[in-house]
Amino acid sequence: MEFLTRRLMWGRFMTDLALLLLLVEDDEGVRPVLEAALRDGGFDVDIAENGGEAVAKLESHKDALRGLITDINLGSGTDGWDVAKRARELIPTLPVVYMSGSGGEDWPSKGVPRSTLLAKPFAPAQLITAISALLNVSDGQL
C-alpha cells in the first residue's frame, strides 16, 4: 500500500511519517464522504465496515496506523467501544475519534482516555480538526 507522507518537525529533528488512519463506519452512505474528507485532508485511509474487520486490521496494521476513527454503533458484534479498547491494547498512544448519532452519552465511562467524540451529524472539517488535534498531542508525547 502506498502511503502519503508528511514531514513533521519535533525540535530540530525532521521525520517522515505515514499518516494512515483506520476508519470504521458501517453506513455505506456515510463511509465514502468521510473517506474523501480524510484523503482531502492529507491522510491515507484504510476502511473497515464492521467491528470484527476493524479488529483484524488493527492487529495486522498496528505498526503503520497513526489513528483510529470509529463509529460507536456498528450493528451486531463488536462495537466502536470494543474496537478502540483493542486498539489501545495494541497501540497504547493511538489517537481515537469516536463518532455517534446515539450512544455518545456513554463516552465518559466507555471511551478510552485521550479520545474525542463527534456527535453526528458533523461537518467533515470537524473530523479533520479532531483527528489532527489528537495527532498533534500524540506526536508531542513521543
Side-chain angles (χ1 to χ4, degrees):
M1 179 180 280
E2 217 173 283
F3 299 110
L4 294 175
T5 59
R6 288 203 176 158
R7 296 186 70 73
L8 300 176
M9 186 180 292
W10 297 322
R12 295 174 26 190
F13 302 100
M14 296 291 285
T15 309
D16 285 331
L17 294 174
L19 295 176
L20 177 63
L21 305 177
L22 177 58
L23 173 63
V24 188
E25 174 59 66
D26 63 332
D27 186 327
E28 52 190 64
V30 172
R31 195 171 42 243
V33 173
L34 298 178
E35 179 182 8
L38 291 165
R39 289 190 189 283
D40 288 347
F43 298 101
D44 194 14
V45 182
D46 195 2
I47 305 292
E49 297 180 11
N50 59 59
E53 183 181 352
V55 169
K57 288 187 178 214
L58 284 166
E59 291 172 351
S60 66
H61 294 84
K62 68 180 180 183
D63 294 329
L65 285 173
R66 293 291 316 257
L68 170 66
I69 300 166
T70 185
D71 191 6
I72 293 171
N73 301 308
L74 297 169
S76 62
T78 306
D79 63 16
W81 305 123
D82 293 329
V83 169
K85 285 177 189 163
R86 181 63 182 140
R88 285 291 181 82
E89 289 170 1
L90 295 166
I91 314 162
T93 60
L94 189 72
V96 175
V97 174
Y98 295 102
M99 307 175 294
S100 183
S102 64
E105 64 276 357
D106 293 331
W107 177 52
S109 62
K110 293 185 176 181
V112 297
R114 295 177 321 277
S115 62
T116 194
L117 172 76
L118 290 177
K120 292 179 180 177
F122 55 84
Q126 290 175 280
L127 179 57
I128 302 302
T129 300
I131 192 63
S132 295
L134 290 173
L135 283 165
N136 287 334
V137 168
S138 179
D139 288 343
Q141 293 175 350
L142 294 176

